[in-house]
């Protein structure tokens, strides 16, 4: 059987972010390259944040999945193509919102961190919101409060 | 490429990140309010993670494994500036140090995105984005508390004066400064310090705080050459306690 790059990416849809189980690593944008040479598959991954403690775990999950599929995995962590929140797919952004996390605004309009002052509430879509802290329960999330629905929420940080 | 110069640069940056990361982590469970507890803990995680990435670059250049490097050296083998090893003290001092150090660090990584050493330039591009959150956090609180009540202004002012000689020690000249600059690995400490002073002035001028006259501040140097205060060794002993009990433990 000849394995295609697309096949690998489809398989990797099953590996989810351990902190956000609705989001696959592919949709999160941390799989930055896949090369296939016969039965040898090389996957390049990059962390969302350099200090992300889930990186080793995600790498192991990718290796295990590929082994199950009968290929010899070579999974490398690299900064060649650094992660940015713009690498989250549209599908991924929808999944985040459904999960209750405000998706990050596009990095292209994000020249200054002042954009962080407000975010769209993932529950009521209100924009009358306030940044409470740029640091949340994980490195990639910030804390907000929505004055419309009076609920706290988190945003996946733009980076 | 001058490998000795490159390694010296990587070591001092990695050691700064590791030691200040450890100090930041001492705020975990102790922060003056929950959000600050989380903020200092998150910045600790970022900094320790960034130090790991820098030690990994060193490992790729033939140095020991990151854990060995982090946990088995003595204080006189560390190249961090003395500033980062000082105890946290009150929150006002921690905040001032966070502001002064992270402003320098953000500018340093910004300069390093142009480094001729490609792996460092790539990593710097990544880290630069993360540090924007650290400087956002620092600037927000300095501006807020630096113009709030007489007590907050007085506390920050005293901490600022206490911190400044140590902050200038961040920019201690490397023995390989000429090589780093001529090989375009890094534009040099002097250039970094100039940018840093401008940035610090621009934030402090928006508060009721007063910067001391730069020329009158006597910098505390030596850290880059392994000359540390009495505070570093106890920090290292605590940080490496588990590793030393069982170096092969996994967690």
């Amino acid at each position: 059987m000849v394995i295609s790059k697309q096949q690998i990416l489809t398989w990797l849809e099953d590996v989810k972010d351990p902190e956000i189980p609705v989001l696959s690593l592919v949709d999160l944008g941390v799989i930055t390259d896949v090369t296939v040479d016969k039965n040898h598959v090389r996957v390049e991954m990059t962390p969302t944040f350099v200090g992300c403690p889930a990186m080793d775990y995600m790498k192991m999950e990718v290796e295990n999945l590929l082994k199950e599929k009968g290929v010899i995995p070579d999974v490398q962590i690299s900064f060649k193509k650094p992660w940015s929140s713009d690498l989250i797919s549209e599908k991924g952004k929808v999944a985040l919102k459904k999960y209750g996390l405000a998706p990050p605004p596009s990095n292209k309009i994000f020249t200054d961190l002042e954009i962080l002052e407000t975010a769209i509430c993932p529950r009521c879509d209100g924009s009358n919101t306030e940044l409470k802290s740029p640091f949340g329960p994980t490195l990639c999330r910030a804390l907000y409060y929505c004055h419309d629905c009076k609920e706290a929420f988190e945003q996946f940080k733009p980076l | 490429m001058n490998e000795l110069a490159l390694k010296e640069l990587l070591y001092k940056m990695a050691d700064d990140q590791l030691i200040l990361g450890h100090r930041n982590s001492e705020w975990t469970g102790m922060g003056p309010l929950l959000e600050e507890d989380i903020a200092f803990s998150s910045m600790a995680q970022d900094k320790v993670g960034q130090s790991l990435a820098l030690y990994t670059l060193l490992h790729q250049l033939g140095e020991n494994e990151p854990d060995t490097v982090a946990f088995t050296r003595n204080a006189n083998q560390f190249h961090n500036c003395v500033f980062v090893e000082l105890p946290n003290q009150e929150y006002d001092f921690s905040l001032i140090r966070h502001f002064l150090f992270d402003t320098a660090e953000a500018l340093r990584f910004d300069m390093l995105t142009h480094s001729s050493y490609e792996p460092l330039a790539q990593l710097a591009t990544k880290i630069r984005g993360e540090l924007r959150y650290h400087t956002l956090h620092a600037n927000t609180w300095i501006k807020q508390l630096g113009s709030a009540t007489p007590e907050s202004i007085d506390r920050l002012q005293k901490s600022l004066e206490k911190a400044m000689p140590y902050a200038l020690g961040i920019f201690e000249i490397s023995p390989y400064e000429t090589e780093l600059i001529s090989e375009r690995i890094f534009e040099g400490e002097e250039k970094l310090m100039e940018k840093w002073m401008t940035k610090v002035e621009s934030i402090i001028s928006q508060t009721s705080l007063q910067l001391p006259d730069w020329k009158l501040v006597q910098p505390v140097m030596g850290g880059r050459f392994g000359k540390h205060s009495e505070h570093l060794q106890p920090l290292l002993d605590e940080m490496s306690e588990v590793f030393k009990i069982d170096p092969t433990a996994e967690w």
Side-chain angles (χ1 to χ4, degrees):
Chain A
M1 181 180 75
V2 182
I3 308 162
S4 67
K5 180 178 167 178
Q6 193 47 53
Q7 176 66 69
I8 302 290
L9 288 172
T10 308
W11 284 340
L12 290 178
E13 284 280 328
D14 287 342
V15 188
K16 307 292 184 194
D17 179 334
E19 305 264 14
I20 311 166
V22 293
L23 192 61
S24 80
L25 299 193
V26 177
D27 286 319
L28 179 60
V30 296
I31 307 289
T32 49
D33 199 23
V34 174
T35 46
V36 183
D37 180 17
K38 290 182 188 138
N39 213 24
H40 180 268
V41 174
R42 185 186 158 90
V43 176
E44 265 186 25
M45 297 179 68
T46 198
T48 51
F49 280 70
V50 175
C52 177
M55 198 61 217
D56 284 343
Y57 182 81
M58 293 195 278
K59 180 176 179 240
M60 193 184 74
E61 294 263 281
V62 171
E63 285 167 346
N64 289 344
L65 178 117
L66 292 175
K67 275 185 216 157
E68 269 172 38
K69 302 288 182 187
V71 296
I72 307 153
D74 171 13
V75 184
Q76 299 292 335
I77 293 171
S78 153
F79 293 99
K80 244 183 265 165
K81 192 179 165 195
W83 183 85
S84 121
S85 48
D86 280 357
L87 293 175
I88 301 177
S89 69
E90 284 311 312
K91 186 167 136 240
K93 287 181 183 169
V94 172
L96 280 176
K97 184 166 187 275
K98 223 172 133 190
Y99 187 64
L101 282 171
S106 169
N107 207 357
K108 292 186 186 64
I109 54 160
F110 164 60
T111 48
D112 199 305
L113 280 173
E114 273 162 32
I115 195 172
L116 284 172
E117 289 296 317
T118 58
I120 305 295
C121 173
R123 289 193 188 84
C124 72
D125 290 318
S127 56
N128 185 13
T129 61
E130 188 189 344
L131 174 66
K132 284 292 179 189
S133 170
F135 298 100
T138 69
L139 291 182
C140 52
R141 304 190 213 171
L143 301 178
Y144 284 84
Y145 183 76
C146 175
H147 292 287
D148 288 336
C149 68
K150 313 256 183 269
E151 288 273 4
F153 69 94
E154 293 165 17
Q155 183 192 48
F156 202 105
K157 286 184 200 174
L159 187 76
Chain B
M1 183 160 297
N2 189 319
E3 218 167 84
L4 281 176
L6 174 61
K7 284 183 183 175
E8 200 265 345
L9 175 70
L10 291 173
Y11 263 117
K12 74 177 173 191
M13 291 181 348
D15 290 349
D16 275 351
Q17 301 291 87
L18 179 68
I19 301 303
L20 189 55
H22 186 84
R23 283 295 184 218
N24 282 349
S25 80
E26 291 174 351
W27 277 112
T28 304
M30 312 278 280
L33 43 115
L34 181 62
E35 286 83 354
E36 281 311 275
D37 199 304
I38 296 170
F40 272 88
S41 305
S42 299
M43 292 189 289
Q45 202 180 342
D46 272 336
K47 283 183 169 17
V48 174
Q50 291 158 2
S51 79
L52 172 61
L54 292 164
Y55 289 131
T56 304
L57 287 187
L58 281 163
H59 184 45
Q60 287 158 1
L61 291 167
E63 296 296 292
N64 272 325
E65 292 274 348
D67 277 358
T68 311
V69 170
F71 294 136
T72 63
R73 284 178 300 157
N74 288 319
N76 60 9
Q77 295 168 293
F78 272 76
H79 300 257
N80 59 279
C81 57
V82 175
F83 194 26
V84 296
E85 74 205 33
L86 296 177
N88 283 343
Q89 306 170 55
E90 296 280 332
Y91 176 73
D92 47 75
F93 182 80
S94 282
L95 187 60
I96 282 285
R97 171 167 60 187
H98 159 44
F99 165 65
L100 295 174
F101 180 83
D102 286 8
T103 299
E105 189 197 23
L107 292 166
R108 184 187 295 275
F109 279 102
D110 188 42
M111 289 160 77
L112 286 169
T113 59
H114 308 295
S115 174
S116 59
Y117 185 59
E118 193 55 34
L120 179 57
Q122 286 169 1
L123 184 63
T125 305
K126 175 73 193 149
I127 291 179
R128 172 176 64 175
E130 301 180 1
L131 291 178
R132 289 159 89 175
Y133 285 95
H134 296 211
T135 48
L136 169 78
H137 176 262
N139 297 348
T140 306
W141 280 109
I142 292 292
K143 285 191 242 174
Q144 207 166 324
L145 293 175
S147 336
T149 66
E151 191 195 354
S152 74
I153 294 165
D154 182 54
R155 274 172 168 253
L156 283 184
Q157 183 64 40
K158 288 197 175 113
S159 285
L160 185 63
E161 284 160 23
K162 193 156 69 171
M164 203 47 93
Y166 293 96
L168 292 183
I170 298 173
F171 313 104
E172 185 169 12
I173 298 295
S174 149
Y176 303 102
E177 206 72 11
T178 330
E179 289 88 340
L180 287 171
I181 297 169
S182 70
E183 299 199 23
R184 301 199 344 270
I185 299 170
F186 176 54
E187 290 167 85
E189 298 298 331
E190 252 176 61
K191 193 155 182 197
L192 171 61
M193 187 170 74
E194 275 171 37
K195 287 177 187 234
W196 174 81
M197 285 176 170
T198 311
K199 186 76 202 171
V200 166
E201 281 164 6
S202 81
I203 303 291
I204 296 293
S205 65
Q206 299 172 50
T207 68
S208 307
L209 303 170
Q210 301 290 328
L211 276 175
D213 184 346
W214 297 119
K215 288 185 222 74
L216 300 179
V217 183
Q218 197 60 21
V220 179
M221 303 287 196
R224 304 302 188 198
F225 294 85
K227 239 179 81 192
H228 293 283
S229 69
E230 73 273 25
H231 304 295
L232 182 59
Q233 193 58 50
L235 180 153
L236 295 173
D237 292 340
E238 187 188 281
M239 186 172 73
S240 58
E241 209 177 339
V242 178
F243 183 82
K244 281 175 183 157
I245 292 168
D246 183 1
T248 61
E250 282 193 28
W251 67 84

